[in-house]
Amino acid sequence: LGLVLQPQEKFANASAAVSEVEALRFSGYALFHGASTAISSAILMLTLVLGGGLVAKGMLTVELLIASILYVDQVLQASCHVVDEFASLLRVVGTSKVVFDLAQLDVS
């Protein structure tokens, strides 16, 4: 029909698209965060089980097991922080793109 959208309708459509992208981003982050927590927990549990077996066989002291668990925990926390910062960077890039797209809307 060749209808021309009013500026309010253009803005409403663009902001609805932004809301949809934000909802998708949030659900993706929740899924990733849950998976990374599960993997980190599994690695720590594996370290504890294998280390406990080595302690039981007398091949490892309790002090070394505790030091190993603390080391693995710190490495996992650091890697999670790096991934979180990268995710923040991607959010900022996506948000800036949306802002520039909204700024370029024709309001006439």
Side-chain angles (χ1 to χ4, degrees):
L1 292 171
L3 295 176
V4 177
L5 293 177
Q6 296 298 323
Q8 294 86 2
E9 293 171 338
K10 288 181 183 179
F11 182 77
N13 291 341
S15 61
V18 170
S19 297
E20 181 180 330
V21 168
E22 188 65 19
L24 288 172
R25 181 197 63 80
F26 180 74
S27 61
Y29 180 75
L31 179 66
F32 170 77
H33 185 66
S36 66
T37 301
I39 291 170
S40 297
S41 298
I43 290 172
L44 281 173
M45 186 62 68
L46 183 65
T47 304
L48 180 62
V49 169
L50 292 177
L54 292 175
V55 168
K57 292 179 183 178
M59 300 174 69
L60 188 70
T61 65
V62 175
E63 293 85 8
L64 284 175
L65 175 61
I66 292 172
S68 299
I69 290 172
L70 290 174
Y71 177 76
V72 168
D73 186 50
Q74 287 184 356
V75 169
L76 290 173
Q77 285 182 6
S79 64
C80 286
H81 287 302
V82 168
V83 171
D84 283 343
E85 293 302 323
F86 185 69
S88 294
L89 174 67
L90 292 179
R91 277 194 303 274
V92 168
V93 168
T95 302
S96 64
K97 180 188 180 316
V98 169
V99 168
F100 286 120
D101 288 346
L102 287 175
Q104 292 176 357
L105 282 177
D106 186 22
V107 293
S108 58

